[in-house]
Amino acid sequence: MSENASATDDESVATVTPESLKERIDAGEDVFILDARSEGDFEEWRIDGEPVDIVNYPYFELIDGVPEDLHETLPEGERITVLCAKGGASEMVAENLEAEGYDVEHLERGMKGWARIYEYAELDTDTDATVAQYRRPSSGCLAYLVVSDGEAAVIDPLRAFTEEYVQDARALGADLTYALDTHVHADHISGIRDLSGEANAAPGADADATPVLPAPAVARGVEYDIAYETVEDGDTLAVGDVEIEVVHTPGHTTGMTAYKVGDVLFTGDGLFTESVARPDLEDPEAARDAARVLYDSLQTVLELPDETVVAPAHFSDAATPNDDGTYTAELGDLRENMAALSMDEEEFVEFIVADMPPRPANYEEIIATNLGHESPDDERAFELELGPNNCAASEDALTN
Protein backbone atom coordinates (compact mmCIF):
# COMPACT_ATOMS: atom_id res chain seq x y z
CA MET A 1 0.00 0.00 0.00
CA SER A 2 2.96 2.31 0.45
CA GLU A 3 3.51 4.81 -2.36
CA ASN A 4 6.35 4.32 -4.83
CA ALA A 5 9.19 6.76 -4.90
CA SER A 6 9.85 8.61 -8.14
CA ALA A 7 12.99 9.06 -10.17
CA THR A 8 15.37 11.75 -9.03
CA ASP A 9 17.67 14.00 -11.05
CA ASP A 10 19.85 15.59 -8.39
CA GLU A 11 22.86 13.45 -9.30
CA SER A 12 25.35 14.31 -12.05
CA VAL A 13 23.77 11.48 -14.02
CA ALA A 14 20.07 10.60 -14.02
CA THR A 15 18.85 8.19 -11.37
CA VAL A 16 15.84 5.89 -11.52
CA THR A 17 14.27 4.30 -8.45
CA PRO A 18 13.63 0.54 -8.41
CA GLU A 19 9.90 1.24 -8.08
CA SER A 20 9.82 3.44 -11.16
CA LEU A 21 11.81 0.93 -13.20
CA LYS A 22 9.41 -1.83 -12.13
CA GLU A 23 6.44 0.31 -13.20
CA ARG A 24 7.94 0.76 -16.66
CA ILE A 25 8.56 -2.97 -17.03
CA ASP A 26 5.04 -3.79 -15.87
CA ALA A 27 3.64 -1.27 -18.36
CA GLY A 28 5.41 -3.08 -21.18
CA GLU A 29 7.83 -0.26 -21.96
CA ASP A 30 11.06 -1.31 -23.66
CA VAL A 31 13.87 -1.30 -21.09
CA PHE A 32 17.55 -1.78 -21.90
CA ILE A 33 19.68 -2.74 -18.90
CA LEU A 34 23.44 -2.83 -18.62
CA ASP A 35 24.13 -5.04 -15.62
CA ALA A 36 27.61 -4.17 -14.33
CA ARG A 37 27.85 -6.93 -11.72
CA SER A 38 30.10 -9.99 -12.01
CA GLU A 39 29.13 -12.71 -14.44
CA GLY A 40 28.41 -15.12 -11.57
CA ASP A 41 26.06 -12.71 -9.82
CA PHE A 42 24.32 -11.97 -13.11
CA GLU A 43 23.81 -15.65 -13.92
CA GLU A 44 22.37 -16.34 -10.48
CA TRP A 45 20.00 -13.39 -10.26
CA ARG A 46 18.94 -10.56 -12.56
CA ILE A 47 16.00 -8.41 -13.64
CA ASP A 48 13.80 -10.15 -16.17
CA GLY A 49 10.59 -9.38 -18.01
CA GLU A 50 9.19 -9.46 -21.53
CA PRO A 51 10.17 -5.88 -22.42
CA VAL A 52 13.64 -6.17 -20.85
CA ASP A 53 16.75 -6.38 -23.02
CA ILE A 54 19.73 -6.97 -20.74
CA VAL A 55 23.49 -7.16 -21.21
CA ASN A 56 26.07 -8.13 -18.61
CA TYR A 57 29.47 -6.38 -18.58
CA PRO A 58 31.40 -6.30 -15.27
CA TYR A 59 32.10 -2.77 -14.03
CA PHE A 60 35.81 -3.44 -13.44
CA GLU A 61 36.16 -3.77 -17.21
CA LEU A 62 34.52 -0.36 -17.67
CA ILE A 63 36.65 1.73 -15.32
CA ASP A 64 38.79 3.16 -18.11
CA GLY A 65 35.94 3.74 -20.54
CA VAL A 66 33.57 1.81 -22.79
CA PRO A 67 35.18 -1.09 -24.72
CA GLU A 68 34.49 -1.32 -28.44
CA ASP A 69 32.62 -4.62 -28.19
CA LEU A 70 30.21 -3.05 -25.71
CA HIS A 71 29.67 -0.08 -28.02
CA GLU A 72 28.49 -2.58 -30.63
CA THR A 73 25.92 -3.96 -28.18
CA LEU A 74 24.49 -0.76 -26.72
CA PRO A 75 21.47 0.81 -28.44
CA GLU A 76 21.59 4.29 -29.97
CA GLY A 77 18.73 6.64 -29.23
CA GLU A 78 17.36 4.46 -26.42
CA ARG A 79 17.78 5.06 -22.71
CA ILE A 80 20.19 2.67 -21.01
CA THR A 81 19.68 1.74 -17.36
CA VAL A 82 22.92 0.76 -15.62
CA LEU A 83 22.81 -1.25 -12.43
CA CYS A 84 25.21 -2.88 -10.00
CA ALA A 85 24.91 -4.45 -6.56
CA LYS A 86 24.48 -1.29 -4.44
CA GLY A 87 24.35 1.66 -6.86
CA GLY A 88 27.87 3.07 -6.56
CA ALA A 89 29.66 1.38 -9.46
CA SER A 90 26.67 1.84 -11.75
CA GLU A 91 26.80 5.62 -11.30
CA MET A 92 30.44 5.66 -12.39
CA VAL A 93 29.67 3.50 -15.43
CA ALA A 94 26.67 5.66 -16.31
CA GLU A 95 28.82 8.81 -16.18
CA ASN A 96 31.31 7.23 -18.61
CA LEU A 97 28.49 6.30 -20.97
CA GLU A 98 26.94 9.74 -20.74
CA ALA A 99 30.31 11.31 -21.57
CA GLU A 100 30.28 9.28 -24.79
CA GLY A 101 26.88 10.55 -25.82
CA TYR A 102 24.53 7.84 -24.55
CA ASP A 103 21.14 8.51 -22.97
CA VAL A 104 21.73 6.83 -19.63
CA GLU A 105 20.53 6.51 -16.05
CA HIS A 106 21.59 4.32 -13.15
CA LEU A 107 19.47 2.28 -10.76
CA GLU A 108 19.29 3.81 -7.30
CA ARG A 109 20.62 1.40 -4.64
CA GLY A 110 21.23 -1.25 -7.31
CA MET A 111 19.98 -4.77 -6.85
CA LYS A 112 19.75 -4.21 -3.09
CA GLY A 113 17.19 -1.53 -3.87
CA TRP A 114 15.41 -3.86 -6.29
CA ALA A 115 15.12 -6.36 -3.44
CA ARG A 116 13.26 -3.73 -1.37
CA ILE A 117 10.28 -3.66 -3.74
CA TYR A 118 7.25 -5.20 -2.03
CA GLU A 119 3.86 -5.13 -3.71
CA TYR A 120 0.37 -5.48 -2.23
CA ALA A 121 -2.80 -6.67 -3.95
CA GLU A 122 -6.10 -7.91 -2.57
CA LEU A 123 -7.33 -11.23 -3.94
CA ASP A 124 -10.81 -11.79 -5.37
CA THR A 125 -11.91 -14.76 -3.25
CA ASP A 126 -15.13 -16.26 -1.95
CA THR A 127 -14.34 -15.79 1.72
CA ASP A 128 -15.71 -13.68 4.59
CA ALA A 129 -12.34 -12.00 4.94
CA THR A 130 -10.10 -9.61 3.07
CA VAL A 131 -7.19 -11.62 1.70
CA ALA A 132 -4.16 -9.78 0.33
CA GLN A 133 -1.04 -11.11 -1.36
CA TYR A 134 2.40 -9.53 -0.97
CA ARG A 135 4.89 -10.02 -3.80
CA ARG A 136 8.64 -9.57 -3.69
CA PRO A 137 9.62 -9.52 -7.40
CA SER A 138 13.34 -9.83 -6.75
CA SER A 139 13.06 -13.27 -5.15
CA GLY A 140 9.55 -14.47 -5.94
CA CYS A 141 8.56 -14.58 -2.26
CA LEU A 142 4.83 -14.33 -1.49
CA ALA A 143 3.15 -13.61 1.84
CA TYR A 144 -0.49 -13.10 2.79
CA LEU A 145 -2.65 -10.95 5.03
CA VAL A 146 -6.04 -12.23 6.21
CA VAL A 147 -8.32 -9.62 7.81
CA SER A 148 -11.73 -10.18 9.40
CA ASP A 149 -13.78 -8.18 11.93
CA GLY A 150 -10.90 -6.16 13.39
CA GLU A 151 -8.38 -9.02 13.54
CA ALA A 152 -5.67 -10.05 11.12
CA ALA A 153 -3.17 -12.82 10.51
CA VAL A 154 -0.10 -12.73 8.29
CA ILE A 155 1.13 -15.95 6.68
CA ASP A 156 4.82 -16.46 5.83
CA PRO A 157 5.92 -12.88 6.69
CA LEU A 158 9.41 -11.66 5.81
CA ARG A 159 11.45 -10.00 8.53
CA ALA A 160 12.48 -7.19 6.18
CA PHE A 161 8.88 -6.04 5.73
CA THR A 162 7.29 -6.43 9.17
CA GLU A 163 6.21 -2.79 9.30
CA GLU A 164 4.24 -3.22 6.07
CA TYR A 165 2.01 -5.92 7.54
CA VAL A 166 1.20 -3.89 10.64
CA GLN A 167 0.45 -0.73 8.68
CA ASP A 168 -1.71 -2.49 6.10
CA ALA A 169 -3.70 -4.39 8.73
CA ARG A 170 -4.42 -1.14 10.52
CA ALA A 171 -5.39 0.55 7.27
CA LEU A 172 -8.02 -2.19 7.01
CA GLY A 173 -9.20 -1.51 10.56
CA ALA A 174 -7.50 -4.49 12.20
CA ASP A 175 -4.66 -5.43 14.52
CA LEU A 176 -2.40 -8.39 13.84
CA THR A 177 -3.27 -11.27 16.14
CA TYR A 178 -1.30 -14.10 14.50
CA ALA A 179 1.90 -14.42 12.48
CA LEU A 180 2.14 -17.89 10.95
CA ASP A 181 4.87 -19.76 9.10
CA THR A 182 4.00 -22.68 6.87
CA HIS A 183 7.41 -24.27 7.57
CA VAL A 184 11.02 -23.48 8.39
CA HIS A 185 11.99 -21.39 5.38
CA ALA A 186 15.27 -21.84 3.53
CA ASP A 187 15.20 -18.78 1.28
CA HIS A 188 14.27 -15.83 3.50
CA ILE A 189 14.37 -14.74 7.13
CA SER A 190 10.98 -15.20 8.78
CA GLY A 191 9.28 -12.23 10.41
CA ILE A 192 7.01 -14.07 12.86
CA ARG A 193 9.16 -13.27 15.88
CA ASP A 194 9.59 -9.62 14.89
CA LEU A 195 5.81 -9.22 14.82
CA SER A 196 5.36 -10.59 18.33
CA GLY A 197 5.97 -7.33 20.16
CA GLU A 198 8.58 -9.08 22.28
CA ALA A 199 12.31 -9.60 21.73
CA ASN A 200 13.75 -8.67 18.33
CA ALA A 201 10.75 -6.60 17.30
CA ALA A 202 11.50 -4.36 14.35
CA PRO A 203 11.75 -0.63 15.16
CA GLY A 204 8.38 0.98 14.60
CA ALA A 205 6.58 -2.30 14.00
CA ASP A 206 4.56 -2.03 17.23
CA ALA A 207 2.86 -5.39 16.71
CA ASP A 208 1.68 -7.94 19.23
CA ALA A 209 0.91 -10.95 17.04
CA THR A 210 1.21 -14.48 18.39
CA PRO A 211 3.91 -16.40 16.47
CA VAL A 212 2.61 -19.75 15.19
CA LEU A 213 4.65 -22.69 13.91
CA PRO A 214 3.60 -26.19 12.81
CA ALA A 215 4.46 -28.65 15.57
CA PRO A 216 6.53 -30.89 13.23
CA ALA A 217 8.59 -27.84 12.26
CA VAL A 218 9.39 -27.16 15.91
CA ALA A 219 10.65 -30.74 16.17
CA ARG A 220 13.54 -29.76 13.91
CA GLY A 221 15.06 -27.92 16.88
CA VAL A 222 13.40 -24.51 17.13
CA GLU A 223 14.99 -22.40 19.88
CA TYR A 224 13.10 -19.13 20.24
CA ASP A 225 13.57 -16.79 23.19
CA ILE A 226 9.94 -15.65 22.96
CA ALA A 227 6.62 -17.42 23.50
CA TYR A 228 4.98 -19.02 20.46
CA GLU A 229 2.17 -21.46 19.68
CA THR A 230 2.22 -24.66 17.69
CA VAL A 231 -0.49 -26.16 15.49
CA GLU A 232 -1.11 -29.64 14.14
CA ASP A 233 -3.16 -31.13 11.35
CA GLY A 234 -6.86 -30.47 11.90
CA ASP A 235 -6.43 -27.53 14.29
CA THR A 236 -8.13 -24.19 13.69
CA LEU A 237 -7.31 -20.60 14.60
CA ALA A 238 -10.01 -17.93 14.81
CA VAL A 239 -9.37 -14.59 13.13
CA GLY A 240 -12.40 -12.36 13.43
CA ASP A 241 -15.32 -14.15 11.80
CA VAL A 242 -13.23 -16.73 9.92
CA GLU A 243 -11.19 -19.79 10.84
CA ILE A 244 -7.77 -20.77 9.63
CA GLU A 245 -7.75 -24.54 9.12
CA VAL A 246 -4.45 -26.36 9.54
CA VAL A 247 -3.57 -28.99 6.90
CA HIS A 248 -0.27 -30.84 7.35
CA THR A 249 1.34 -31.33 3.91
CA PRO A 250 4.88 -32.65 4.49
CA GLY A 251 7.33 -33.39 1.71
CA HIS A 252 9.16 -30.14 1.04
CA THR A 253 10.02 -30.35 4.75
CA THR A 254 8.74 -32.58 7.54
CA GLY A 255 6.87 -29.59 8.97
CA MET A 256 5.38 -28.22 5.75
CA THR A 257 1.82 -27.13 6.52
CA ALA A 258 -0.91 -25.46 4.48
CA TYR A 259 -3.52 -23.11 5.93
CA LYS A 260 -7.06 -22.92 4.56
CA VAL A 261 -9.40 -19.93 4.86
CA GLY A 262 -12.69 -20.37 3.04
CA ASP A 263 -11.89 -21.33 -0.54
CA VAL A 264 -8.23 -20.22 -0.29
CA LEU A 265 -5.47 -22.73 0.45
CA PHE A 266 -2.16 -21.14 1.44
CA THR A 267 0.14 -23.92 0.27
CA GLY A 268 3.51 -22.56 1.40
CA ASP A 269 6.20 -24.37 -0.58
CA GLY A 270 4.19 -27.55 -1.13
CA LEU A 271 2.41 -26.59 -4.35
CA PHE A 272 3.02 -23.60 -6.61
CA THR A 273 1.10 -22.34 -9.62
CA GLU A 274 3.84 -23.57 -11.97
CA SER A 275 5.55 -26.37 -10.07
CA VAL A 276 5.71 -28.49 -6.94
CA ALA A 277 8.09 -28.50 -4.00
CA ARG A 278 11.64 -29.73 -4.02
CA PRO A 279 12.24 -32.37 -1.30
CA ASP A 280 15.94 -31.99 -0.54
CA LEU A 281 16.46 -28.83 1.52
CA GLU A 282 15.87 -30.33 4.96
CA ASP A 283 17.84 -33.55 4.40
CA PRO A 284 19.46 -34.03 0.96
CA GLU A 285 20.14 -37.70 1.66
CA ALA A 286 16.44 -38.35 2.29
CA ALA A 287 15.18 -36.55 -0.82
CA ARG A 288 13.71 -39.66 -2.42
CA ASP A 289 11.75 -40.61 0.70
CA ALA A 290 10.60 -37.01 1.10
CA ALA A 291 9.41 -37.03 -2.52
CA ARG A 292 7.16 -39.99 -1.68
CA VAL A 293 5.76 -38.11 1.29
CA LEU A 294 5.21 -35.08 -0.94
CA TYR A 295 3.30 -37.24 -3.42
CA ASP A 296 0.94 -38.38 -0.65
CA SER A 297 0.46 -34.81 0.54
CA LEU A 298 -0.43 -33.65 -2.95
CA GLN A 299 -3.02 -36.41 -3.23
CA THR A 300 -4.63 -35.01 -0.08
CA VAL A 301 -4.66 -31.52 -1.56
CA LEU A 302 -6.16 -32.85 -4.81
CA GLU A 303 -9.18 -34.12 -2.85
CA LEU A 304 -10.26 -30.50 -2.34
CA PRO A 305 -12.79 -28.89 -4.72
CA ASP A 306 -11.58 -27.68 -8.12
CA GLU A 307 -12.59 -24.14 -7.13
CA THR A 308 -10.04 -24.08 -4.30
CA VAL A 309 -7.69 -21.13 -4.82
CA VAL A 310 -4.06 -22.21 -4.47
CA ALA A 311 -2.04 -19.34 -2.96
CA PRO A 312 1.64 -20.39 -2.78
CA ALA A 313 4.59 -18.89 -0.92
CA HIS A 314 6.67 -18.38 -4.07
CA PHE A 315 6.59 -17.84 -7.79
CA SER A 316 9.36 -18.32 -10.35
CA ASP A 317 10.07 -16.86 -13.79
CA ALA A 318 8.08 -19.77 -15.23
CA ALA A 319 4.90 -18.68 -13.42
CA THR A 320 2.25 -16.71 -15.30
CA PRO A 321 0.68 -13.91 -13.25
CA ASN A 322 -3.02 -13.21 -13.21
CA ASP A 323 -4.30 -10.07 -14.95
CA ASP A 324 -3.95 -8.15 -11.67
CA GLY A 325 -0.34 -9.29 -11.20
CA THR A 326 -1.10 -11.80 -8.45
CA TYR A 327 0.03 -15.42 -8.43
CA THR A 328 -2.82 -17.78 -7.61
CA ALA A 329 -4.58 -20.57 -9.51
CA GLU A 330 -7.65 -22.71 -9.09
CA LEU A 331 -6.83 -26.25 -8.10
CA GLY A 332 -8.87 -27.65 -11.00
CA ASP A 333 -6.73 -25.75 -13.50
CA LEU A 334 -3.52 -27.01 -11.89
CA ARG A 335 -4.88 -30.56 -11.92
CA GLU A 336 -5.55 -30.23 -15.65
CA ASN A 337 -2.38 -28.41 -16.68
CA MET A 338 0.40 -29.59 -14.37
CA ALA A 339 1.82 -32.93 -15.47
CA ALA A 340 3.34 -33.70 -12.07
CA LEU A 341 -0.14 -33.85 -10.52
CA SER A 342 -1.25 -36.66 -12.83
CA MET A 343 1.82 -38.89 -12.46
CA ASP A 344 1.75 -42.11 -10.48
CA GLU A 345 3.97 -42.30 -7.42
CA GLU A 346 7.02 -43.92 -9.00
CA GLU A 347 6.99 -41.60 -12.00
CA PHE A 348 6.55 -38.59 -9.70
CA VAL A 349 9.45 -39.55 -7.42
CA GLU A 350 11.84 -40.21 -10.31
CA PHE A 351 10.89 -36.94 -11.96
CA ILE A 352 11.28 -34.83 -8.81
CA VAL A 353 14.71 -36.14 -7.79
CA ALA A 354 16.15 -36.30 -11.31
CA ASP A 355 16.91 -32.64 -11.92
CA MET A 356 16.66 -30.40 -8.89
CA PRO A 357 17.82 -26.77 -9.27
CA PRO A 358 20.64 -25.21 -7.23
CA ARG A 359 19.83 -24.73 -3.56
CA PRO A 360 18.95 -21.21 -2.40
CA ALA A 361 21.95 -19.03 -1.59
CA ASN A 362 22.95 -19.15 2.08
CA TYR A 363 20.15 -21.61 2.79
CA GLU A 364 21.94 -23.30 5.70
CA GLU A 365 22.45 -19.98 7.54
CA ILE A 366 18.90 -18.91 6.75
CA ILE A 367 17.50 -22.16 8.14
CA ALA A 368 19.67 -21.79 11.25
CA THR A 369 18.33 -18.26 11.73
CA ASN A 370 14.73 -19.36 11.31
CA LEU A 371 15.29 -22.12 13.87
CA GLY A 372 16.60 -19.54 16.31
CA HIS A 373 20.16 -20.91 16.30
CA GLU A 374 21.72 -17.78 14.78
CA SER A 375 20.87 -14.10 15.17
CA PRO A 376 22.10 -11.95 12.26
CA ASP A 377 21.44 -8.22 12.45
CA ASP A 378 18.98 -6.63 10.03
CA GLU A 379 21.57 -5.79 7.38
CA ARG A 380 23.09 -9.27 7.40
CA ALA A 381 19.64 -10.89 7.39
CA PHE A 382 18.66 -8.84 4.34
CA GLU A 383 21.85 -9.77 2.50
CA LEU A 384 21.40 -13.47 3.24
CA GLU A 385 18.16 -13.63 1.26
CA LEU A 386 19.24 -11.72 -1.84
CA GLY A 387 18.72 -13.77 -4.98
CA PRO A 388 16.18 -16.29 -6.29
CA ASN A 389 14.31 -18.59 -3.91
CA ASN A 390 14.87 -21.91 -5.80
CA CYS A 391 12.41 -23.74 -3.52
CA ALA A 392 10.53 -25.47 -6.34
CA ALA A 393 11.41 -28.57 -8.29
CA SER A 394 12.61 -28.10 -11.84
CA GLU A 395 9.86 -26.67 -14.06
CA ASP A 396 10.86 -28.89 -17.02
CA ALA A 397 7.94 -31.05 -18.18
CA LEU A 398 5.73 -29.93 -15.33
CA THR A 399 3.01 -28.67 -17.66
CA ASN A 400 0.86 -30.83 -19.89
Side-chain angles (χ1 to χ4, degrees), residues 34-105:
L34 172 59
D35 190 321
R37 296 175 300 150
S38 70
E39 182 178 352
D41 288 344
F42 175 79
E43 289 300 324
E44 180 183 12
W45 180 46
R46 58 183 176 269
I47 296 177
D48 288 310
E50 274 191 24
V52 176
D53 190 2
I54 189 166
V55 170
N56 175 228
Y57 214 105
Y59 79 92
F60 53 79
E61 297 184 25
L62 302 172
I63 294 175
D64 296 325
V66 184
E68 187 58 37
D69 61 335
L70 182 56
H71 276 300
E72 296 172 358
T73 303
L74 297 177
E76 295 183 7
E78 179 181 346
R79 171 151 287 205
I80 300 167
T81 302
V82 186
L83 65 82
C84 63
K86 300 179 181 179
S90 63
E91 184 175 8
M92 178 271 293
V93 172
E95 289 172 348
N96 288 344
L97 288 173
E98 187 175 61
E100 300 204 28
Y102 288 99
D103 181 9
V104 64
E105 65 190 6

Side-chain angles (χ1 to χ4, degrees), residues 2-31:
S2 56
E3 296 183 0
N4 290 339
S6 60
T8 61
D9 57 5
D10 58 350
E11 303 285 345
S12 59
V13 66
T15 300
V16 62
T17 66
E19 294 82 4
S20 295
L21 180 62
K22 179 68 164 48
E23 288 177 358
R24 282 159 47 187
I25 293 172
D26 289 346
E29 297 181 21
D30 290 335
V31 173

Side-chain angles (χ1 to χ4, degrees), residues 51-300:
V52 176
D53 190 2
I54 189 166
V55 170
N56 175 228
Y57 214 105
Y59 79 92
F60 53 79
E61 297 184 25
L62 302 172
I63 294 175
D64 296 325
V66 184
E68 187 58 37
D69 61 335
L70 182 56
H71 276 300
E72 296 172 358
T73 303
L74 297 177
E76 295 183 7
E78 179 181 346
R79 171 151 287 205
I80 300 167
T81 302
V82 186
L83 65 82
C84 63
K86 300 179 181 179
S90 63
E91 184 175 8
M92 178 271 293
V93 172
E95 289 172 348
N96 288 344
L97 288 173
E98 187 175 61
E100 300 204 28
Y102 288 99
D103 181 9
V104 64
E105 65 190 6
H106 81 100
L107 182 63
E108 181 181 277
R109 296 172 286 134
M111 290 300 281
K112 289 190 72 172
W114 186 255
R116 287 286 181 187
I117 297 177
Y118 208 47
E119 300 173 316
Y120 170 103
E122 293 180 10
L123 303 180
D124 182 12
T125 65
D126 186 19
T127 67
D128 294 326
T130 297
V131 180
Q133 182 183 79
Y134 292 92
R135 303 186 304 273
R136 190 182 196 183
S138 65
S139 64
C141 285
L142 300 171
Y144 298 90
L145 185 69
V146 178
V147 180
S148 173
D149 193 28
E151 296 184 340
V154 61
I155 298 172
D156 287 332
L158 280 65
R159 173 174 159 181
F161 301 100
T162 51
E163 294 180 42
E164 306 256 354
Y165 311 124
V166 178
Q167 293 169 0
D168 291 343
R170 290 184 176 169
L172 293 168
D175 289 326
L176 279 178
T177 55
Y178 289 110
L180 303 89
D181 269 342
T182 54
H183 64 296
V184 177
H185 293 278
D187 66 296
H188 68 263
I189 305 301
S190 167
I192 65 170
R193 285 177 287 170
D194 300 79
L195 289 164
S196 71
E198 298 184 43
N200 303 315
D206 191 23
D208 193 19
T210 299
V212 177
L213 285 168
V218 174
R220 291 179 61 181
V222 167
E223 297 176 0
Y224 289 175
D225 56 1
I226 62 170
Y228 61 90
E229 292 185 7
T230 61
V231 289
E232 300 188 60
D233 186 55
D235 288 347
T236 60
L237 295 171
V239 177
D241 294 330
V242 300
E243 287 190 336
I244 299 177
E245 302 173 39
V246 179
V247 185
H248 189 209
T249 53
H252 176 62
T253 66
T254 53
M256 184 67 243
T257 294
Y259 298 112
K260 188 173 184 296
V261 179
D263 66 338
V264 184
L265 184 69
F266 304 100
T267 53
D269 289 7
L271 175 61
F272 309 103
T273 62
E274 77 282 18
S275 184
V276 298
R278 62 187 299 166
D280 64 319
L281 293 181
E282 182 175 338
D283 184 356
E285 295 182 2
R288 185 174 294 273
D289 290 339
R292 295 186 186 280
V293 175
L294 174 62
Y295 178 85
D296 290 340
S297 292
L298 291 173
Q299 303 316 301
T300 298

